[in-house]
Amino acid sequence: MTSQSSSTQNSTAFDAVLFLSFGGPNGHDEVMPFLENVTRGRGIPRERLEAVAEHYHHFGGVSPINRLNLDMIESLRAELARRGRDLPVYFGNRNWEPMVEDTVEQMYADGHRRVLVFPTSAWGGYSGCRQYHEDIARALDALAERVADSADDPLLLRKLPQYWAEPSFVDAGADAVRRAVSALPASDTPARLVFTAHSVPMTADAASGPVDETAERTGDTTNGASIPAGGGRLYSRQVRAASNAVAGAVGGPAPSDVDQVWQSRSGPPQIPWLEPDICDHLESLSAAGISRVVVSPIGFISDHLEVVWDLDNEAAEVAEKLGMEYVRADSVGTDPRFITLIADLIDRYADGGGDLRALGCADNGATCRPNCCVPARRPQRA
């Protein structure tokens, strides 16, 4: 994949939307095949997959991400209709049904040729952005194999940009924190505010973003979230900037009472990942005399399994063992303003306009910048 050409057409209206997500199993029999799809080529031992599978089996083998995505799609369709946007919304996944390859083939059969793609990740980085471009490229390759004449009547898929600094994202996150704080027992002792996001290998974070150091900046400066786009570690810098923006919008905790940590690491233990882990951090806070904690899963737009298991089970159990008062804030996908955010992004690009230089925005599986978010080599099993 290469960076999109500056000559990419930007004047023709779009005729459909693809809601592109991660996917998840819908029953016990689907759990292991799903996990094998997720980890293909990564050298993850079978015993590790079986341990993760137990998290899904705890909830009947059903990932909550499926229903949450369908709810968001239904709300988005209603919002687009309210705005007078006659754009059908299709649903495709990377790792489970409906697979994006099948969805793109159906969109093509339905006559759509210019499609906006909304990814369920707000961030830069390989997993947060570039892998969605790869999903798009893979789906188009599959279309070319399945529909021979598609080369003569091509489909354009334009991925919408990263949206972590959108005001609606920050405002929804801030209100979720306020609700969580209000759910704690009344006390004169302030709660510690802890933001979490999915950990990644440190090498992957170092490679996230454009490799060149430039003066270009990304983010909504009204929220104080503008950060340099180049130079690597874009993902961790975005998460930190978004955490600061949400904490600032809440207005209560002092900066010294706000932490940003990580969760859900996997892979070989000898590979360093972003730290500290949320559970380790809770123990450190307790040792420092902190007894009240609000945790905001800012890195996740919905309460899928890694939020529900890692925060509502594992972290909550650690907090209980430590005698801490612990409340987990909602993810932003439950807030109607998040649907407004998606619709606003679609509005910006639907008529052929929009900023094609925005980070994460590119066509047909190209990357938004040369050598952007290059994937690190994955360790293989011996």
Side-chain angles (χ1 to χ4, degrees), residues 83-151:
R83 298 182 182 205
R85 286 281 182 197
D86 185 18
L87 291 172
V89 181
Y90 290 75
F91 181 28
N93 287 318
R94 175 184 305 152
N95 295 304
W96 204 247
E97 299 173 356
M99 300 296 289
V100 64
E101 296 91 336
D102 299 331
T103 300
V104 166
E105 182 181 9
Q106 184 61 57
M107 298 175 84
Y108 192 86
D110 291 345
H112 300 293
R113 297 297 181 268
R114 288 179 63 85
V115 177
L116 294 174
V117 182
F118 174 79
T120 55
S121 168
W123 314 100
Y126 177 72
S127 298
C129 186
R130 181 167 179 148
Q131 199 168 9
Y132 287 89
H133 292 295
E134 293 180 357
D135 297 336
I136 291 168
R138 188 179 67 256
L140 289 172
D141 287 344
L143 180 67
E145 293 178 359
R146 298 175 184 183
V147 183
D149 60 358
S150 61

Side-chain angles (χ1 to χ4, degrees), residues 30-41 46 49 95:
E30 297 181 358
V31 171
M32 283 303 293
F34 161 73
L35 292 175
E36 289 165 354
N37 281 349
V38 172
T39 61
R40 183 172 290 114
R46 178 77 178 185
L49 295 187
N95 295 304

Side-chain angles (χ1 to χ4, degrees), residues 66-272:
N66 302 315
R67 172 46 52 194
L68 293 167
N69 280 336
L70 291 172
D71 288 346
M72 283 190 282
I73 289 169
E74 182 179 355
S75 297
L76 177 60
R77 287 170 176 157
E79 177 62 18
L80 292 175
R82 188 190 68 79
R83 298 182 182 205
R85 286 281 182 197
D86 185 18
L87 291 172
V89 181
Y90 290 75
F91 181 28
N93 287 318
R94 175 184 305 152
N95 295 304
W96 204 247
E97 299 173 356
M99 300 296 289
V100 64
E101 296 91 336
D102 299 331
T103 300
V104 166
E105 182 181 9
Q106 184 61 57
M107 298 175 84
Y108 192 86
D110 291 345
H112 300 293
R113 297 297 181 268
R114 288 179 63 85
V115 177
L116 294 174
V117 182
F118 174 79
T120 55
S121 168
W123 314 100
Y126 177 72
S127 298
C129 186
R130 181 167 179 148
Q131 199 168 9
Y132 287 89
H133 292 295
E134 293 180 357
D135 297 336
I136 291 168
R138 188 179 67 256
L140 289 172
D141 287 344
L143 180 67
E145 293 178 359
R146 298 175 184 183
V147 183
D149 60 358
S150 61
D152 298 323
D153 186 15
L155 172 65
L156 185 139
L157 296 171
R158 177 165 295 163
K159 179 182 170 296
L160 292 167
Q162 299 158 20
Y163 49 85
W164 62 273
E166 291 288 322
S168 295
F169 186 93
V170 174
D171 292 344
D175 275 354
V177 168
R178 293 187 188 102
R179 290 193 300 272
V181 171
S182 68
L184 284 169
S187 173
D188 294 332
T189 303
R192 188 78 164 206
L193 178 53
V194 180
F195 293 94
T196 70
H198 202 302
S199 185
V200 299
M202 293 181 69
T203 53
D205 185 50
S208 65
V211 297
D212 59 311
E213 287 281 4
T214 70
E216 181 181 12
R217 300 180 77 80
T218 177
D220 176 64
T221 55
T222 62
N223 285 317
S226 182
I227 61 174
R233 295 185 173 80
L234 182 65
Y235 171 60
S236 60
R237 291 185 288 128
Q238 287 177 336
V239 172
R240 166 55 71 181
S243 300
N244 290 342
V246 170
V250 171
S256 60
D257 293 327
V258 178
D259 304 318
Q260 190 265 301
V261 301
W262 305 97
Q263 65 175 87
S264 310
R265 73 150 290 162
S266 60
Q270 67 270 23
I271 303 298

Side-chain angles (χ1 to χ4, degrees), residues 314-326:
E314 290 184 340
E317 288 175 2
V318 170
E320 182 178 14
K321 179 189 71 174
L322 296 169
M324 304 177 82
E325 295 175 352
Y326 172 98

